[in-house]
Amino acid sequence: MSEARTLVEVEGLRRTFDVSRPWLTRMLAREPQRFLKAVDGVSFDIKAGETFAIVGESGSGKSTVARMVVGLLEATAGKVTIDRFEIRAGADSVEARRVRRRIQMIFQDPFASLNPRWRVGDIIAEPIIAFGMPKPAGGRDDAPSPEATRRRVGELLGLVGLDPVDARKYPHQFSGGQRQRIAIARALAAGPDFIACDEPTSALDVSVQAQILNLMRDLQEQLGLTFLFISHNLSVVRHMATRVGVMYLGKLVEIGNAAELFARPRHPYTRMLLDSVPDLSMVGKDRTPVAGEIPSPIDPPKGCAFHPRCKFAVDICRIDVPPLIDGVACHLAQDGRLPDLSS
Amino acid sequence: MTAEPLIDTDITPRTDGTDERRGRFARLLDSDIMASFLASKLTVLAGFVTFAFLIIALFAPLIAPFNPFDPAQVFLIDARDPPIWMAGSDPRFLLGTDDQGRDMLSALFYGLRVSLLIGGLGVLLSALIGVTLGLIAGYAGGRIDALIMRIADIQLTFPAILIALLVDGVVHALLKSGGREDTAFGVMVLSIGLSFWVQYARTVRGSTLVERNKDYVHAARLIGLRSPQILWRHVLPNVLGPVLVIATINLALAVITEATLSFLGVGLPPTQPSLGTLIRIGNAYLFSGEWWIVAFPGITLAVLVIAVNMLGDWLRDALNPRLR
């Protein structure tokens, strides 16, 4: 991972949702418009071949980030570039299509991500027909013959550990883990080099999770893929990630190399998350439950968004929003005033 | 509906491939739908009756003893003959004759044909309008959605009869030919189509709102498919289930509407009688003792509507996963 070519660059990404009540009701009740800041100024970059993970609780905005990165959701502000070409939701130029074929996504729920009325073979063939056959040299697409498409579908099914004969079945004939394999095959079909994975294993049984994660890692190695990996599960992230960003209420509060972040978490929130994870090395030690809940993003706390839940919080935390400097967004951590907790 | 679990809930893959090798028909006989169909005797009966009516309607010219539209076969001297089991009947006319000497049985067969054809085409037209508008409203959302659904609300305030009169009037004003016979059929189909689309639109919009946020639609957007393609290839097949149910129930409703309009005189003319027209003709003779002219079309209409309705009810239950 030392070649370190930056593949995906995310800059100042911001997304607000209008959660106001209907205009007439609002006027009658004399209410102002209300906005929800789902993502508030997130920047990071992903190097070719690595897995960048975003962790956070429900409602932290991590899925929204993933959707904006792949271009499913329009960003309110900020931009996403892949190889310096900007990704925009709804763009339809030739250039945009060429970029789009390099980006794919694996979704959380394999029961909703496959059209129940389509045969598996047709599901996997769809990107091939839309983009053409992938070529090693990244050449232009030409119309694939049905024969070649069929062969490619069989190949892909084999690649994800299924039988090529399965192409003729319908999604309901498969288990959750097998469906996720099908979803992975579809994501790979057009030969992308960047895949956003939105909680790809959280809908699966624990025993199946590991199989799918290992499959994804093998494929990454084999095909040189770059992953953006969204998860709330720290054990999964530890298993997969090269680098990790921790999100809290729409902002990145800590970012760093996975090994380092897990060994020496700097932000109090990261520490809290890590302390709550059951772990074999922690046998005998009490694990600390996560205190409190994530506040409403419609009406976020002033200052550092984490201060109401932070046991170290001091006056400045309640007034100033800490910027992300040197991989951590916390006044105390930046000043070195946090007690050293690495044990 | 059924006491014992007749439905196959096995979702594990069948690796032996027998499922593929057997014919479509064999699979149909083996399916959940078929099982639930056979489980209720009433449904089977309704299915049989509907099927029989369809066959009669389809092959009316072959089955009917007379052609009631052929003046060469109709004689006024045979007018108002009673059914065969009553005194003074003519053995040629099983169910008697109407006021112009037409064989009631043949008139019934042909009337059934006209009624079902108008009902079917009307349902098809309303489903076409409703599904299209519902898909657009549900997928586009926002102002387009609001506009379409408000039009639907307004539409609901007009009864079918008013729409039929309106369409009838407009068509006549436009054509000025005065020939009701030529336009009556189209007017009826159009009126029924315009009266019943709202239900489809609402149902399809609701399902589309759910489907468009599912990840398979996102996956399709991700590979750059355009909205019409996504709607046609991905969303439509997944919202058609309820449409089938509504269409079946609406077929009965459409036949009744047609009969009502024909009874009131804005429907089909006596020269190409539907069940409703036959009832209207018979109505005039009800009090002079010729009850058969109104009774047989009336009974046929009632049986048809009940049968189709029961089929529709069964289909709704069979396709609703929550009732399984």
Side-chain angles (χ1 to χ4, degrees):
Chain A
M1 307 284 153
S2 53
E3 54 202 274
R5 178 173 69 94
T6 298
L7 184 71
V8 179
E9 241 182 304
V10 175
E11 226 182 281
L13 213 52
R14 192 181 305 272
R15 174 73 208 200
T16 53
F17 291 104
D18 189 349
V19 290
S20 320
R21 294 204 287 169
W23 179 80
L24 195 62
T25 328
R26 216 172 60 226
M27 286 299 132
L28 292 175
R30 291 171 192 283
E31 262 177 30
Q33 266 187 302
R34 298 201 300 173
F35 291 99
L36 182 156
K37 274 188 197 166
V39 175
D40 190 7
V42 167
S43 305
F44 56 86
D45 42 49
I46 309 176
K47 302 199 169 31
E50 78 169 356
T51 300
F52 182 81
I54 297 182
V55 285
E57 287 167 285
S58 322
S60 58
K62 51 195 195 305
S63 286
T64 312
V65 169
R67 275 165 203 270
M68 284 191 286
V69 168
V70 297
L72 273 181
L73 191 71
E74 219 171 316
T76 309
K79 65 176 186 177
V80 180
T81 55
I82 174 163
D83 265 347
R84 275 184 284 284
F85 188 87
E86 192 172 346
I87 300 166
R88 268 211 219 94
D92 204 30
S93 60
V94 178
E95 200 60 5
R97 283 184 69 78
R98 195 172 300 159
V99 172
R100 197 179 287 133
R101 79 174 293 167
R102 303 181 54 186
I103 306 165
Q104 270 301 323
M105 187 158 180
I106 298 170
F107 298 93
Q108 174 174 3
D109 183 1
F111 289 85
S113 66
L114 305 175
N115 190 337
R117 310 246 163 202
W118 282 35
R119 284 179 198 275
V120 167
D122 296 329
I123 291 173
I124 299 174
E126 204 184 18
I128 304 174
I129 294 164
F131 289 122
M133 207 61 83
K135 283 185 195 146
R140 282 298 299 142
D141 37 274
D142 40 43
S145 71
E147 182 52 41
T149 308
R150 275 228 325 270
R151 233 179 303 122
R152 170 84 179 143
V153 168
E155 226 174 83
L156 285 160
L157 280 169
L159 200 62
V160 298
L162 292 170
D163 194 321
V165 184
D166 290 339
R168 296 176 52 168
K169 294 181 184 162
Y170 285 95
H172 71 87
Q173 292 172 294
F174 295 92
S175 69
Q178 288 171 318
R179 283 166 177 240
Q180 202 58 297
R181 286 174 192 268
I182 295 166
I184 293 172
R186 171 180 60 189
L188 295 176
D193 39 22
F194 172 62
I195 300 181
C197 318
D198 187 5
E199 309 244 15
T201 60
S202 54
L204 305 177
D205 289 349
V206 179
S207 55
V208 182
Q209 283 192 10
Q211 292 174 17
I212 297 294
L213 291 174
N214 288 333
L215 171 70
M216 286 172 64
R217 268 170 58 144
D218 291 347
L219 289 171
Q220 180 173 36
E221 213 162 289
Q222 236 176 68
L223 305 170
L225 299 170
T226 306
F227 286 145
L228 169 64
F229 194 92
I230 309 290
S231 183
H232 64 264
N233 188 333
L234 286 168
S235 330
V236 167
V237 168
R238 180 179 254 166
H239 184 71
M240 294 294 289
T242 325
R243 285 193 310 136
V244 180
V246 181
M247 267 188 91
Y248 187 77
L249 217 62
K251 285 195 171 87
L252 275 175
V253 293
E254 186 167 357
I255 188 167
N257 278 330
E260 210 164 298
L261 187 132
F262 278 104
R264 276 180 301 280
R266 293 162 69 197
H267 197 280
Y269 178 59
T270 317
R271 292 183 181 186
M272 189 168 95
L273 284 182
L274 285 175
D275 284 345
S276 68
V277 178
D279 195 328
L280 273 183
S281 65
M282 285 173 47
V283 174
K285 225 165 81 177
D286 271 350
R287 73 189 161 90
T288 330
V290 171
E293 271 173 40
I294 201 159
S296 159
I298 298 175
D299 191 16
K302 281 204 170 52
C304 171
F306 186 61
H307 84 253
R309 293 167 77 184
C310 181
K311 56 184 172 187
F312 308 110
V314 293
D315 285 345
I316 187 170
C317 304
R318 296 182 187 98
I319 304 161
D320 264 2
V321 182
L324 186 69
I325 298 170
D326 195 21
V328 64
C330 174
H331 297 114
L332 301 176
Q334 281 155 10
D335 296 353
R337 283 198 279 158
L338 277 185
D340 194 27
L341 277 186
S342 49
S343 45
Chain B
M1 225 173 80
T2 53
E4 68 268 42
L6 283 157
I7 285 101
D8 179 18
T9 51
D10 186 16
I11 58 160
T12 51
R14 294 173 193 155
T15 41
D16 54 358
T18 49
D19 208 40
E20 286 297 330
R21 250 173 267 136
R22 283 181 306 151
R24 263 173 193 274
F25 188 67
R27 260 184 289 158
L28 180 72
L29 282 180
D30 198 29
S31 66
D32 308 350
I33 303 270
M34 208 58 197
S36 86
F37 180 73
L38 295 173
S40 156
K41 292 203 173 59
L42 229 56
T43 312
V44 176
L45 183 69
F48 179 74
V49 169
T50 312
F51 186 69
F53 276 166
L54 281 178
I55 292 293
I56 290 173
L58 210 60
F59 298 108
L62 299 177
I63 311 172
F66 296 92
N67 181 357
F69 300 122
D70 182 6
Q73 292 184 28
V74 176
F75 301 104
L76 267 177
I77 200 161
D78 298 324
R80 286 180 269 165
D81 277 352
I84 199 160
W85 58 87
M86 284 173 66
S89 63
D90 187 319
R92 285 180 300 159
F93 308 118
L94 188 66
L95 296 180
T97 55
D98 70 359
D99 62 322
Q100 294 174 52
R102 292 186 293 205
D103 177 33
M104 275 315 296
L105 189 66
S106 309
L108 267 187
F109 286 0
Y110 277 87
L112 204 58
R113 185 184 166 90
V114 173
S115 283
L116 277 174
L117 194 61
I118 289 188
L121 286 178
V123 163
L124 214 63
L125 181 64
S126 56
L128 201 71
I129 300 173
V131 169
T132 310
L133 290 178
L135 275 177
I136 294 172
Y139 195 74
R143 281 185 192 174
I144 298 172
D145 180 25
L147 179 73
I148 292 177
M149 292 333 280
R150 287 305 81 73
I151 293 175
D153 289 345
I154 295 167
Q155 166 76 72
L156 274 186
T157 63
F158 292 102
I161 295 169
L162 202 58
I163 293 172
L165 289 171
L166 208 74
V167 173
D168 193 54
V170 170
V171 168
H172 278 280
L174 286 178
L175 292 179
K176 286 200 178 103
S177 63
R180 282 200 57 115
E181 280 83 358
D182 314 328
T183 55
F185 194 87
V187 168
M188 291 303 298
V189 171
L190 198 62
S191 328
I192 291 171
L194 288 179
S195 307
F196 291 116
W197 65 270
V198 175
Q199 212 181 344
Y200 298 93
R202 288 194 161 169
T203 313
V204 167
R205 171 182 173 265
S207 320
T208 307
L209 281 176
V210 175
E211 296 298 324
R212 76 158 180 196
N213 284 324
K214 287 199 179 159
D215 285 337
Y216 72 85
V217 173
H218 291 145
R221 280 175 51 202
L222 212 53
I223 60 170
L225 291 192
R226 283 159 225 268
S227 301
Q229 277 178 307
I230 293 176
L231 281 177
W232 176 251
R233 288 163 63 182
H234 286 281
V235 180
L236 184 65
N238 284 298
V239 299
L240 273 188
V243 169
L244 197 65
V245 176
I246 302 175
T248 314
I249 292 175
N250 266 1
L251 178 62
L253 219 63
V255 170
I256 289 190
T257 308
E258 182 276 321
T260 312
L261 293 169
S262 294
F263 181 79
L264 291 175
V266 280
L268 291 167
T271 47
Q272 45 182 115
S274 68
L275 290 177
T277 319
L278 291 176
I279 294 173
R280 175 167 63 106
I281 296 169
N283 187 44
Y285 297 93
L286 192 55
F287 290 109
S288 55
E290 283 101 8
W291 54 268
W292 58 88
I293 306 181
V294 69
F296 293 122
I299 293 168
T300 311
L301 179 66
V303 171
L304 172 69
V305 167
I306 292 173
V308 172
N309 247 330
M310 277 170 55
L311 265 189
D313 279 353
W314 158 74
L315 200 61
R316 186 190 55 207
D317 293 348
L319 292 181
N320 188 344
R322 255 173 285 171
L323 287 178
R324 283 187 171 182

Short mmCIF file of all heavy atoms in Angstrom, two decimals, chain A residues 168-196:
data_model
loop_
_atom_site.label_atom_id
_atom_site.label_comp_id
_atom_site.label_asym_id
_atom_site.label_seq_id
_atom_site.Cartn_x
_atom_site.Cartn_y
_atom_site.Cartn_z
N ARG A 168 -29.80 -19.14 -13.52
CA ARG A 168 -31.19 -19.30 -13.99
C ARG A 168 -32.20 -19.22 -12.87
O ARG A 168 -33.38 -19.28 -13.11
CB ARG A 168 -31.32 -20.63 -14.73
CG ARG A 168 -30.45 -20.65 -15.98
CD ARG A 168 -30.49 -21.97 -16.65
NE ARG A 168 -31.87 -22.42 -16.87
CZ ARG A 168 -32.17 -23.44 -17.64
NH1 ARG A 168 -31.21 -24.10 -18.23
NH2 ARG A 168 -33.42 -23.82 -17.79
N LYS A 169 -31.72 -19.12 -11.63
CA LYS A 169 -32.66 -19.09 -10.51
C LYS A 169 -33.07 -17.65 -10.18
O LYS A 169 -32.49 -16.69 -10.68
CB LYS A 169 -32.00 -19.71 -9.28
CG LYS A 169 -31.72 -21.20 -9.46
CD LYS A 169 -31.11 -21.76 -8.20
CE LYS A 169 -30.74 -23.20 -8.39
NZ LYS A 169 -29.79 -23.63 -7.37
N TYR A 170 -34.05 -17.56 -9.30
CA TYR A 170 -34.51 -16.26 -8.84
C TYR A 170 -33.92 -15.97 -7.46
O TYR A 170 -33.59 -16.89 -6.71
CB TYR A 170 -36.04 -16.24 -8.77
CG TYR A 170 -36.68 -16.15 -10.13
CD1 TYR A 170 -37.09 -17.30 -10.79
CD2 TYR A 170 -36.84 -14.93 -10.75
CE1 TYR A 170 -37.66 -17.22 -12.04
CE2 TYR A 170 -37.41 -14.84 -12.00
CZ TYR A 170 -37.82 -15.99 -12.65
OH TYR A 170 -38.38 -15.89 -13.89
N PRO A 171 -33.80 -14.68 -7.09
CA PRO A 171 -33.18 -14.34 -5.81
C PRO A 171 -33.80 -15.03 -4.60
O PRO A 171 -33.10 -15.37 -3.66
CB PRO A 171 -33.38 -12.82 -5.72
CG PRO A 171 -33.46 -12.37 -7.12
CD PRO A 171 -34.11 -13.49 -7.88
N HIS A 172 -35.12 -15.27 -4.63
CA HIS A 172 -35.74 -15.83 -3.43
C HIS A 172 -35.30 -17.26 -3.17
O HIS A 172 -35.61 -17.82 -2.14
CB HIS A 172 -37.26 -15.74 -3.53
CG HIS A 172 -37.87 -16.68 -4.52
ND1 HIS A 172 -38.21 -17.96 -4.20
CD2 HIS A 172 -38.16 -16.53 -5.83
CE1 HIS A 172 -38.70 -18.56 -5.28
NE2 HIS A 172 -38.68 -17.71 -6.28
N GLN A 173 -34.61 -17.84 -4.13
CA GLN A 173 -34.15 -19.21 -3.94
C GLN A 173 -32.81 -19.27 -3.22
O GLN A 173 -32.23 -20.34 -3.07
CB GLN A 173 -34.04 -19.93 -5.29
CG GLN A 173 -35.39 -20.16 -5.94
CD GLN A 173 -35.27 -20.68 -7.35
OE1 GLN A 173 -34.79 -19.99 -8.25
NE2 GLN A 173 -35.69 -21.91 -7.57
N PHE A 174 -32.31 -18.10 -2.79
CA PHE A 174 -31.01 -18.06 -2.15
C PHE A 174 -31.10 -17.54 -0.71
O PHE A 174 -32.04 -16.83 -0.36
CB PHE A 174 -30.07 -17.15 -2.94
CG PHE A 174 -29.75 -17.67 -4.30
CD1 PHE A 174 -30.52 -17.30 -5.38
CD2 PHE A 174 -28.70 -18.55 -4.50
CE1 PHE A 174 -30.25 -17.79 -6.65
CE2 PHE A 174 -28.41 -19.04 -5.76
CZ PHE A 174 -29.19 -18.66 -6.84
N SER A 175 -30.09 -17.88 0.08
CA SER A 175 -30.02 -17.38 1.45
C SER A 175 -29.43 -15.97 1.44
O SER A 175 -28.94 -15.50 0.41
CB SER A 175 -29.15 -18.29 2.29
OG SER A 175 -27.81 -18.17 1.87
N GLY A 176 -29.47 -15.30 2.59
CA GLY A 176 -28.94 -13.94 2.68
C GLY A 176 -27.49 -13.83 2.23
O GLY A 176 -27.13 -12.94 1.47
N GLY A 177 -26.67 -14.76 2.70
CA GLY A 177 -25.25 -14.72 2.33
C GLY A 177 -25.04 -14.93 0.84
O GLY A 177 -24.25 -14.23 0.21
N GLN A 178 -25.80 -15.87 0.28
CA GLN A 178 -25.68 -16.12 -1.16
C GLN A 178 -26.15 -14.92 -1.96
O GLN A 178 -25.56 -14.57 -2.99
CB GLN A 178 -26.52 -17.35 -1.54
CG GLN A 178 -25.91 -18.65 -1.05
CD GLN A 178 -26.87 -19.81 -1.24
OE1 GLN A 178 -28.07 -19.69 -0.98
NE2 GLN A 178 -26.34 -20.93 -1.69
N ARG A 179 -27.21 -14.27 -1.47
CA ARG A 179 -27.69 -13.08 -2.16
C ARG A 179 -26.64 -11.98 -2.15
O ARG A 179 -26.46 -11.27 -3.13
CB ARG A 179 -28.94 -12.53 -1.48
CG ARG A 179 -30.18 -13.28 -1.78
CD ARG A 179 -31.21 -12.85 -0.80
NE ARG A 179 -32.48 -13.49 -1.06
CZ ARG A 179 -33.60 -12.81 -1.33
NH1 ARG A 179 -33.60 -11.51 -1.35
NH2 ARG A 179 -34.70 -13.45 -1.58
N GLN A 180 -25.94 -11.85 -1.01
CA GLN A 180 -24.92 -10.82 -0.96
C GLN A 180 -23.79 -11.17 -1.94
O GLN A 180 -23.20 -10.28 -2.54
CB GLN A 180 -24.40 -10.67 0.48
CG GLN A 180 -23.76 -9.34 0.79
CD GLN A 180 -24.65 -8.14 0.56
OE1 GLN A 180 -25.08 -7.87 -0.56
NE2 GLN A 180 -24.93 -7.39 1.61
N ARG A 181 -23.52 -12.46 -2.12
CA ARG A 181 -22.54 -12.85 -3.13
C ARG A 181 -23.01 -12.42 -4.52
O ARG A 181 -22.22 -11.95 -5.35
CB ARG A 181 -22.33 -14.37 -3.11
CG ARG A 181 -21.54 -14.85 -1.92
CD ARG A 181 -21.50 -16.37 -1.87
NE ARG A 181 -20.99 -16.82 -0.59
CZ ARG A 181 -19.70 -17.07 -0.37
NH1 ARG A 181 -18.82 -16.93 -1.35
NH2 ARG A 181 -19.29 -17.45 0.82
N ILE A 182 -24.30 -12.60 -4.78
CA ILE A 182 -24.85 -12.18 -6.08
C ILE A 182 -24.69 -10.67 -6.25
O ILE A 182 -24.30 -10.18 -7.31
CB ILE A 182 -26.34 -12.58 -6.19
CG1 ILE A 182 -26.47 -14.10 -6.17
CG2 ILE A 182 -26.96 -12.01 -7.45
CD1 ILE A 182 -27.87 -14.61 -5.94
N ALA A 183 -24.99 -9.93 -5.16
CA ALA A 183 -24.85 -8.47 -5.22
C ALA A 183 -23.41 -8.08 -5.50
O ALA A 183 -23.14 -7.13 -6.24
CB ALA A 183 -25.33 -7.84 -3.91
N ILE A 184 -22.47 -8.82 -4.92
CA ILE A 184 -21.06 -8.54 -5.17
C ILE A 184 -20.72 -8.83 -6.63
O ILE A 184 -20.03 -8.05 -7.30
CB ILE A 184 -20.16 -9.36 -4.22
CG1 ILE A 184 -20.35 -8.87 -2.78
CG2 ILE A 184 -18.69 -9.25 -4.63
CD1 ILE A 184 -19.66 -9.74 -1.74
N ALA A 185 -21.25 -9.94 -7.15
CA ALA A 185 -21.01 -10.28 -8.56
C ALA A 185 -21.54 -9.18 -9.47
O ALA A 185 -20.88 -8.80 -10.44
CB ALA A 185 -21.67 -11.62 -8.90
N ARG A 186 -22.71 -8.65 -9.14
CA ARG A 186 -23.26 -7.57 -9.96
C ARG A 186 -22.37 -6.33 -9.88
O ARG A 186 -22.13 -5.67 -10.90
CB ARG A 186 -24.66 -7.20 -9.48
CG ARG A 186 -25.17 -5.93 -10.17
CD ARG A 186 -26.54 -5.53 -9.73
NE ARG A 186 -26.59 -5.26 -8.30
CZ ARG A 186 -27.72 -5.07 -7.64
NH1 ARG A 186 -28.86 -5.14 -8.26
NH2 ARG A 186 -27.68 -4.84 -6.34
N ALA A 187 -21.88 -6.04 -8.66
CA ALA A 187 -21.02 -4.87 -8.50
C ALA A 187 -19.75 -5.02 -9.33
O ALA A 187 -19.23 -4.04 -9.86
CB ALA A 187 -20.69 -4.66 -7.03
N LEU A 188 -19.26 -6.26 -9.46
CA LEU A 188 -18.01 -6.47 -10.19
C LEU A 188 -18.21 -6.53 -11.70
O LEU A 188 -17.26 -6.42 -12.46
CB LEU A 188 -17.37 -7.78 -9.74
CG LEU A 188 -16.90 -7.85 -8.29
CD1 LEU A 188 -16.38 -9.24 -7.98
CD2 LEU A 188 -15.83 -6.81 -8.03
N ALA A 189 -19.45 -6.69 -12.14
CA ALA A 189 -19.73 -7.05 -13.53
C ALA A 189 -19.12 -6.10 -14.55
O ALA A 189 -18.57 -6.53 -15.56
CB ALA A 189 -21.23 -7.16 -13.75
N ALA A 190 -19.20 -4.81 -14.29
CA ALA A 190 -18.71 -3.87 -15.29
C ALA A 190 -17.23 -3.54 -15.10
O ALA A 190 -16.70 -2.65 -15.73
CB ALA A 190 -19.55 -2.59 -15.25
N GLY A 191 -16.58 -4.25 -14.18
CA GLY A 191 -15.16 -4.03 -13.97
C GLY A 191 -14.84 -2.71 -13.31
O GLY A 191 -14.04 -1.93 -13.84
N PRO A 192 -15.42 -2.40 -12.17
CA PRO A 192 -15.15 -1.14 -11.50
C PRO A 192 -13.81 -1.19 -10.77
O PRO A 192 -13.27 -2.28 -10.57
CB PRO A 192 -16.29 -1.04 -10.48
CG PRO A 192 -16.58 -2.45 -10.12
CD PRO A 192 -16.29 -3.27 -11.35
N ASP A 193 -13.28 -0.04 -10.38
CA ASP A 193 -12.12 -0.13 -9.50
C ASP A 193 -12.39 0.48 -8.13
O ASP A 193 -11.57 0.40 -7.24
CB ASP A 193 -10.85 0.47 -10.13
CG ASP A 193 -11.10 1.72 -10.91
OD1 ASP A 193 -12.14 2.38 -10.66
OD2 ASP A 193 -10.30 2.05 -11.77
N PHE A 194 -13.59 1.07 -7.97
CA PHE A 194 -13.93 1.61 -6.65
C PHE A 194 -15.33 1.12 -6.26
O PHE A 194 -16.28 1.27 -7.03
CB PHE A 194 -13.90 3.14 -6.70
CG PHE A 194 -14.41 3.79 -5.45
CD1 PHE A 194 -13.77 3.58 -4.23
CD2 PHE A 194 -15.53 4.61 -5.48
CE1 PHE A 194 -14.25 4.18 -3.07
CE2 PHE A 194 -16.00 5.20 -4.33
CZ PHE A 194 -15.36 4.99 -3.12
N ILE A 195 -15.44 0.50 -5.10
CA ILE A 195 -16.74 0.00 -4.65
C ILE A 195 -17.05 0.56 -3.27
O ILE A 195 -16.25 0.42 -2.35
CB ILE A 195 -16.78 -1.54 -4.61
CG1 ILE A 195 -16.51 -2.11 -6.00
CG2 ILE A 195 -18.13 -2.02 -4.11
CD1 ILE A 195 -16.56 -3.61 -6.05
N ALA A 196 -18.21 1.20 -3.15
CA ALA A 196 -18.66 1.65 -1.84
C ALA A 196 -19.53 0.55 -1.24
O ALA A 196 -20.44 0.05 -1.89
CB ALA A 196 -19.48 2.93 -1.98
#
